[in-house]
Amino acid sequence: MRLKGKTALITAAGQGIGQAAALAMAAEGAVVYATDVNAELLKSYQGVANVHTAVLNVLDKNAIAAQVASMDRIDVIFNCAGFVHNGSIVEAKDEEWEFAFNLNVRSQFWMIQAAIPKMVAQFEKDGRGGSIINMASVCSSVKGLPNRFIYGTSKAAVIGLTKSVAADFVRQGIRCNAICPGTVDTPSLQDRINSYADPAQARKDFINRQPMGRLAQAAEIAPIVTFLASDESIFATGNAYMVDGGMTI
Ligand code: NAD
């Protein structure tokens, strides 16, 4: 039970990597608040020990503040929500840029800003601050990928945000790290594949992008989240962790 005594708040936990991380953290003894904008998806947690669910739209600042205020303590935040736009800078639309930055980056800004006073107070009271884990991507400042202009730019911003928070609160018991997955076989990836004229070829192309010759499963990304949530990573902050099947070799 590596997370016993810890309370974790997760966004976009309805499916994919957020869901896998919520289940992994609950299995390690954390009390998990699994949130998502989609109430239907949260029904999958019925009967799962240690998991509370709540509808939370991370585009809603007041809702984020209310969720944070409703919790007695917060030891772990996993900011997982994000969206992938296709295309180069030539095709990019202003409204896509705005949506991506609001969902992929501003949501993390709002969540962390709301939670920091609680984490700092915890650290001053009992020496236990918090671990913040932000979802970036290997497609970011780490690596440019074709046709991911808006997405890669927004995920690069996540890494900058992560390092900034880590630097400002390193003496106040707060760690802040980012994770950078490669291509993960999640429902939204399947949606993206289905949007191509030839989905079978699109899946092959995604697989060929992975040096390991296969996609990751969401459960293969969850362990790095559990590690960063746990005290095993107590000396680690301000880092971006690749879990990418060799994309950055
Ligand atoms: P997904 O995209 O399949 O699911 C996303 C979840 O986010 C859904 O449950 C959806 O309801 C929820 N969501 C959407 N808008 C929301 C909002 N406004 N507020 C709260 N929740 C909202 O899941 P995924 O593919 O595991 O992606 C999760 C994160 O991982 C994203 O940030 C994504 O960019 C990142 N990521 C994914 C991959 C990949 O290949 N799948 C790779 C690297 C990084």
Side-chain angles (χ1 to χ4, degrees):
M1 290 289 177
R2 295 149 71 205
L3 300 179
K4 199 152 183 53
K6 293 192 189 291
T7 299
L9 173 57
I10 306 178
T11 68
Q15 63 183 27
I17 300 166
Q19 182 189 42
L23 293 172
M25 287 202 255
E28 288 292 351
V31 173
V32 173
Y33 286 77
T35 72
D36 199 283
V37 72
N38 185 333
E40 201 57 35
L41 292 174
L42 293 172
K43 289 184 179 161
S44 70
Y45 288 103
Q46 270 166 14
V48 179
N50 297 339
V51 179
H52 304 269
T53 59
V55 173
L56 178 62
N57 179 357
V58 296
L59 299 174
D60 181 343
K61 188 174 191 176
N62 291 333
I64 289 175
Q67 177 61 41
V68 167
S70 75
M71 297 173 65
D72 286 343
R73 63 176 298 126
I74 304 179
D75 302 283
V76 177
I77 292 173
F78 179 30
N79 283 313
C80 184
F83 184 80
V84 183
H85 287 98
N86 287 328
S88 74
I89 194 169
V90 173
E91 294 99 37
K93 296 187 174 59
D94 290 1
E95 53 272 26
E96 293 172 337
W97 171 278
E98 199 175 342
F99 181 80
F101 271 78
N102 289 349
L103 183 57
N104 300 4
V105 192
R106 190 184 65 182
S107 64
Q108 301 189 355
F109 154 40
W110 281 349
M111 177 65 83
I112 296 168
Q113 189 180 54
I116 284 242
K118 196 164 266 199
M119 287 181 164
V120 170
Q122 286 169 193
F123 183 65
E124 285 168 357
K125 187 163 161 241
D126 59 20
R128 295 165 62 209
S131 173
I132 298 162
I133 303 146
N134 294 326
M135 177 58 85
S137 170
V138 73
C139 176
S140 57
S141 50
V142 176
K143 193 172 169 73
L145 289 179
N147 289 315
R148 290 289 181 275
F149 165 67
I150 290 177
Y151 183 69
T153 309
S154 72
K155 293 296 190 180
V158 167
I159 294 176
L161 179 155
T162 300
K163 287 180 179 283
S164 174
V165 171
D168 281 334
F169 294 93
V170 67
R171 296 265 177 135
Q172 287 162 280
I174 294 173
R175 299 186 294 115
C176 187
N177 291 287
I179 64 165
C180 300
T183 316
V184 189
D185 205 357
T186 63
S188 71
L189 180 76
Q190 190 56 50
D191 291 345
R192 287 201 294 287
I193 287 172
N194 290 340
S195 72
Y196 284 82
D198 183 350
Q201 185 57 45
R203 178 167 276 274
K204 276 190 201 146
D205 292 344
F206 273 111
I207 291 171
N208 284 339
R209 211 171 73 162
Q210 289 299 129
M212 278 189 189
R214 69 174 182 84
L215 305 177
Q217 296 303 307
E220 295 172 324
I221 308 301
I224 189 81
V225 182
T226 304
F227 167 70
L228 290 170
S230 80
D231 291 342
E232 292 164 15
S233 58
I234 200 74
F235 211 55
T237 192
N239 285 313
Y241 288 83
M242 309 305 134
V243 196
D244 63 4
M247 282 179 94
T248 46
I249 287 173

